[in-house]
Structures are given as C-alpha cells and as structure tokens.
Amino acid sequence: MNDSPAKILAAVDGGPQAEAVARVAANLAAKMGSELHVVHVGFVPAMYHPEMRRYPSRSEGVGQESQQILDEEVRRI
C-alpha cells in the first residue's frame, strides 16, 4: 500500500514566504511522485454595487492580476 498522497495543494499569495512554500511543495511532490496543484489566494475587494456599471471589467482585471501573480510564483519555483 502506498501512503504517499496522490495530490498536493500549495496556496500562495505572492508574499515573502510564498516562494519558500511553493518550493517545498514542489520538492515534496517530486520526491513522493505526487501531482502538485498551486493556487493563488488573496484578498478580493467587494466589487458589486447596484450603481457600479464597470463591475465585469473590474472582475476581469482582478482575475488577470491573480493569474499574473500565480504565473510568476510558478516560474520562480
């Protein structure tokens, strides 16, 4: 019976410890033969208001910014 996890999830936020967390998770996944998933977590300001007409474009901007942060974290590890 293999006690190694099939998947490992690392949550990063772009902060000072994020690179270390992602690197440890990547090394652990490689050693254990596990699948690694890295997600970006962070604060998303409330963007909905009945009078706010640009909600969809702001939502897209936050999504793109989050993706850029995640891509940068993945490149660093």
Side-chain angles (χ1 to χ4, degrees):
M1 179 174 176
N2 185 355
D3 290 333
S4 297
K7 298 177 184 178
I8 294 176
L9 174 65
V12 296
D13 64 359
Q17 295 86 13
E19 185 176 348
V21 167
R23 196 172 301 280
V24 167
N27 288 336
L28 184 62
K31 287 179 184 175
M32 300 183 95
S34 302
E35 185 177 309
L36 177 62
H37 295 262
V38 181
V39 296
H40 174 260
V41 296
F43 175 73
V44 177
M47 294 182 288
Y48 176 77
H49 187 277
E51 296 175 9
M52 191 172 177
R53 308 275 190 259
R54 300 188 66 188
Y55 173 75
S57 63
R58 177 64 183 133
S59 177
E60 289 172 12
V62 169
Q64 291 172 351
E65 183 180 328
S66 296
Q67 186 63 52
Q68 288 173 346
I69 292 170
L70 178 58
D71 291 344
E72 186 176 314
E73 289 292 334
V74 170
R75 273 193 294 274
R76 283 194 285 212
I77 61 167

